[in-house]
Amino acid sequence: MSKYRLTLMGAADHRCSRYHGENNFMKNARIAWLRLVVLIILSICAGANCAYSQSTNSSNTPREAGEPYPNMPSIAPIGVRIDKYLDVPASAKGPAIDSAKGYRLQDLGKGLYMITDNAYQSMFLVYDRGVVVVDAPPGYAAHIPQAIAEVSDKPITHIVYSHSHIDHIGGAKALGGQPVIIAQEETLRLLKRAADPNRPLPTVTFSDKYTLRVGNQVLELSYHGNAHEPGNIFISAPAQRVLMVVDVVFPGWMPWRRFALAQDIPGYFAQVEEIRKMGWETLVGGHVARTGTHADVDVQAEFNQDVKQAAATALATTKPGEGLNPLDKANPWAGFDNYIDRVAAQCVNTLAPKWSSRLAGFDIYIWDQCFAMEQSLRIE
Ligand SMILES: [Zn+2]
C-alpha cells in the first residue's frame, strides 16, 4: 500500500470527523494502527522479495499512486470513495412525491402541468380536444397516462421532444397511439442514427422556431444552438409564463458532471445567460425535485463565472512539470496529466469555501466541473 493511499485514508478520516464529530483520539489511534500494519506488510515484503516489490520495479507494470500533490483538497477526487457525501441543503429540496403513485403532479396554470419523480421532470398541456406531452422519461412514462387522467379525459395528440437523449424521451413509444411528434431537425438526425424503437422519429421538424397552436393553447419552440447537445430546444408556454429547458439549469443543485455533459461548454454558458434574460416565472429544468426561479438561474450563472475564473487563474499560475518523475519527462501525456491534475486541485480549493454549502452535490461533481472548465479554456 502506498503512502498516497494512507494519506487518502487520513483525508477520509478528516471528513468523517468533520461530519460525524468523531473523537480525535479514536481517529489518531486508528491512523497509527493502520500505519503500523502497513509498515509490517512492507517490511515482510522487503525481506521476502515478494511479488509486490518485484512488480513495482518493472517499468511496464502500472505503479501505485505516488505522493499526493501539494495542497490536495479534502474533497475526494474522481475515483476515490467518499465516506459520506455532504448533506443536501434545504434550498435544493422540493415537495415529496406520492409514494403510492410514484410521481407528483404540479399545476403550472391554465392547463399546463409538470410531472416529476423528483429526479426527472416533464410536462403536458391540456387543450379542448387533446393533450400535448413534452418529454417522456422512461423512469415514469408508464404513469403519464394516469397523471393525465387526473385532470383530463382527452387523448394524447402530440409529443414534443426537448432533445434526443433516451433518459428524457425513452418512454415515448410506450405512450401508444399515433401522436404528432415535434422536434428540432438535429434531434431527427440523432434519432435516425440511434434507431431506437422506444424513441419514434419526429414527424414534424423545424430549424429555428416552431409555434404549436392547439385549441386556444400555444407552445413556442426555439433552437438556440448547441450547448447540452445539438437539437436541445427552449419550450416556452407564454400564457403560463413557463420556460422548459432541459439539462442546462439545475435549481438548487450543481449541474450534473462536466456541466451536465455539455457538448459545447461556451454554448452552455451562453444559454444559461439567455435563460436568465428571458421573461418567465417558472423554469422546468428536466431534473431535480422542484421548478426553478430567476434567483436559481442567477446562482447558476454566478457559479459558472466563478468556475471559469478559478480555472483560468489556476491555468495561469500552475507551473508545468513540477513534481513530475524525471523518468516521465519524455512522455507528453504524463506531463499534461501532472499539470492538469494540479490545475484542477487548485480550482477545487478556490471554489470550496464559497460553494460547498450553497449548491447541493458540490462535493460530488466539483472535480468534474473543474476538469471540464480547464479543458474548455485551453482548447475552445
Ligand atoms: Zn440530455
Side-chain angles (χ1 to χ4, degrees):
M1 188 182 292
S2 71
K3 272 186 191 166
Y4 177 64
R5 245 183 231 178
L6 262 186
T7 311
L8 281 178
M9 283 179 177
D13 283 339
H14 177 63
R15 275 198 308 276
C16 275
S17 61
R18 212 169 349 137
Y19 301 122
H20 302 310
E22 188 186 14
N23 163 318
N24 266 345
F25 172 76
M26 287 301 293
K27 183 183 82 178
N28 292 337
R30 193 143 55 86
I31 294 171
W33 184 82
L34 278 167
R35 288 197 169 129
L36 182 66
V37 170
V38 170
L39 275 176
I40 291 167
I41 293 168
L42 287 178
S43 51
I44 291 168
C45 275
N49 192 20
C50 67
Y52 169 79
S53 56
Q54 279 174 356
S55 72
T56 53
N57 286 337
S58 160
S59 61
N60 284 325
T61 306
R63 304 273 186 118
E64 297 241 347
E67 286 279 349
Y69 297 113
N71 305 317
M72 271 298 280
S74 62
I75 294 163
I78 295 163
V80 173
R81 186 177 184 174
I82 290 182
D83 172 62
K84 164 68 180 75
Y85 294 101
L86 291 174
D87 290 339
V88 173
S91 58
K93 293 177 179 168
I97 62 160
D98 180 332
S99 57
K101 289 197 295 189
Y103 66 88
R104 178 170 72 80
L105 197 58
Q106 183 171 331
D107 188 346
L108 301 174
K110 299 181 179 171
L112 184 64
Y113 297 85
M114 180 180 81
I115 318 174
T116 181
D117 60 0
N118 278 1
Y120 280 87
Q121 300 172 344
S122 62
M123 303 197 303
F124 65 86
L125 177 67
V126 179
Y127 68 99
D128 56 357
R129 285 182 295 110
V131 175
V132 180
V133 168
V134 184
D135 281 359
Y140 63 76
H143 294 309
I144 291 177
Q146 180 190 344
I148 293 171
E150 286 189 35
V151 296
S152 168
D153 57 2
K154 302 289 189 294
I156 297 170
T157 55
H158 299 72
I159 301 177
V160 174
Y161 288 163
S162 66
H163 67 302
S164 75
H165 283 160
I166 196 166
D167 60 324
H168 290 275
I169 65 165
K173 179 73 180 176
L175 294 177
Q178 296 286 321
V180 174
I181 301 178
I182 307 163
Q184 205 274 343
E185 60 195 20
E186 288 289 312
T187 298
L188 173 62
R189 178 179 65 82
L190 292 166
L191 289 177
K192 278 183 179 166
R193 187 179 72 176
D196 176 2
N198 291 317
R199 289 175 284 171
L201 295 181
T203 54
V204 174
T205 60
F206 65 95
S207 167
D208 296 327
K209 283 183 194 313
Y210 185 87
T211 302
L212 175 65
R213 290 179 202 282
V214 281
N216 60 357
Q217 295 280 30
V218 174
L219 285 181
E220 288 171 354
L221 316 181
S222 56
Y223 185 50
H224 301 248
N226 189 16
H228 175 60
E229 76 151 354
N232 194 28
I233 55 173
F234 288 28
I235 300 151
S236 167
Q240 293 82 0
R241 300 197 46 80
V242 169
L243 178 68
M244 178 170 173
V245 183
V246 173
D247 287 338
V248 176
V249 172
F250 298 75
W253 288 79
M254 286 277 277
W256 183 259
R257 64 171 16 123
R258 300 186 177 225
F259 299 103
L261 306 177
Q263 291 186 17
D264 183 323
I265 288 176
Y268 172 89
F269 274 51
Q271 284 193 4
V272 173
E273 291 299 328
E274 273 187 88
I275 293 167
R276 196 181 181 192
K277 287 174 190 140
M278 289 171 74
W280 47 267
E281 276 167 20
T282 307
L283 180 76
V284 175
H287 282 284
V288 311
R290 63 173 178 84
T291 54
T293 62
H294 270 281
D296 290 317
V297 184
D298 290 347
V299 169
Q300 174 117 36
E302 185 183 345
F303 172 74
N304 286 352
Q305 289 313 313
D306 282 3
V307 180
K308 192 172 179 180
Q309 186 59 54
T313 302
L315 282 166
T317 57
T318 301
K319 235 176 114 192
E322 239 168 40
L324 184 68
N325 188 327
L327 297 173
D328 286 323
K329 283 260 155 73
N331 178 345
W333 287 10
F336 264 109
D337 189 52
N338 163 285
Y339 172 64
I340 286 165
D341 277 355
R342 288 181 295 121
V343 167
Q346 184 181 323
C347 171
V348 172
N349 279 331
T350 304
L351 296 166
K354 176 172 171 183
W355 289 100
S356 61
S357 61
R358 216 169 147 198
L359 285 178
F362 177 87
D363 52 333
I364 304 171
Y365 289 140
I366 191 56
W367 280 94
D368 280 285
Q369 317 303 16
C370 282
F371 275 114
M373 190 73 249
E374 59 78 21
Q375 194 147 283
S376 169
L377 287 172
R378 279 189 306 105
I379 64 174
E380 283 182 330

